[in-house]
Amino acid sequence: MAGMKSKLTKNSISYAACSSALPSDGEVQLLPAGDFRARDGRPQGIPGWKINAKSAALIIAGLSALANPLVVDYEHQTQRAVENGQPAPAAGWINGKDVTWREGAGLFAPVKWTARAQLHIDAQEYKFLSPVIAYDRN
């Protein structure tokens, strides 16, 4: 996000809960272009989130530098596993080098879904993606 800091506080992590549909081709929209809010009204205490070409380039550079792919999980379980003790299986993987910005549309990435996740998607048991984002409140 614009102005993203390298050291993040707990208050600057949020579930975006965007209405990004899961298309059958495996490519997902991670974030919409411009100003946006989650469907439930988040973030609280600030006007909203914003992403543009400049901030997207920073995000893409950071993701491209990662040694490992990003996990796509079920129900944000990788964030909750320590506190609830439940397993956090992957639903899919995103190669950070494959994340792209589309002007006027947003941030996109192809996802390599696991066989189990693809069954859930095909059965329409999972229809949306809810990315976890870090942001600077300022």
Side-chain angles (χ1 to χ4, degrees):
M1 297 294 121
M4 192 164 28
K5 295 180 178 178
S6 58
K7 292 194 178 200
L8 301 168
T9 65
K10 186 174 182 178
N11 292 335
S12 63
I13 304 292
S14 186
Y15 304 108
C18 300
S19 297
S20 299
L22 297 176
S24 60
D25 67 2
E27 183 176 70
V28 297
Q29 182 178 28
L30 299 173
L31 299 172
D35 298 323
F36 66 98
R37 300 184 76 75
R39 290 180 293 150
D40 66 1
R42 281 178 282 159
Q44 302 299 320
I46 60 173
W49 293 302
K50 179 178 184 168
I51 186 169
N52 56 30
K54 183 178 177 182
S55 56
L58 295 171
I59 293 168
I60 291 168
L63 295 176
S64 294
L66 295 174
N68 296 313
L70 299 165
V71 66
V72 179
D73 66 3
Y74 298 94
E75 312 297 337
H76 299 290
Q77 182 55 23
T78 55
Q79 301 277 312
R80 300 176 175 154
V82 171
E83 64 187 51
N84 69 21
Q86 298 298 310
W93 300 96
I94 295 173
N95 182 333
K97 292 171 182 57
D98 295 334
V99 177
T100 59
W101 172 253
R102 294 186 193 151
E103 191 60 42
L107 203 61
F108 290 81
V111 179
K112 182 173 182 177
W113 298 111
T114 64
R116 177 178 165 209
Q118 191 63 59
L119 290 172
H120 287 300
I121 293 166
D122 291 345
Q124 296 187 354
E125 294 169 343
Y126 284 90
K127 291 183 75 162
F128 302 102
L129 187 73
S130 178
V132 176
I133 60 172
Y135 63 95
D136 182 348
R137 288 184 165 270
N138 298 319

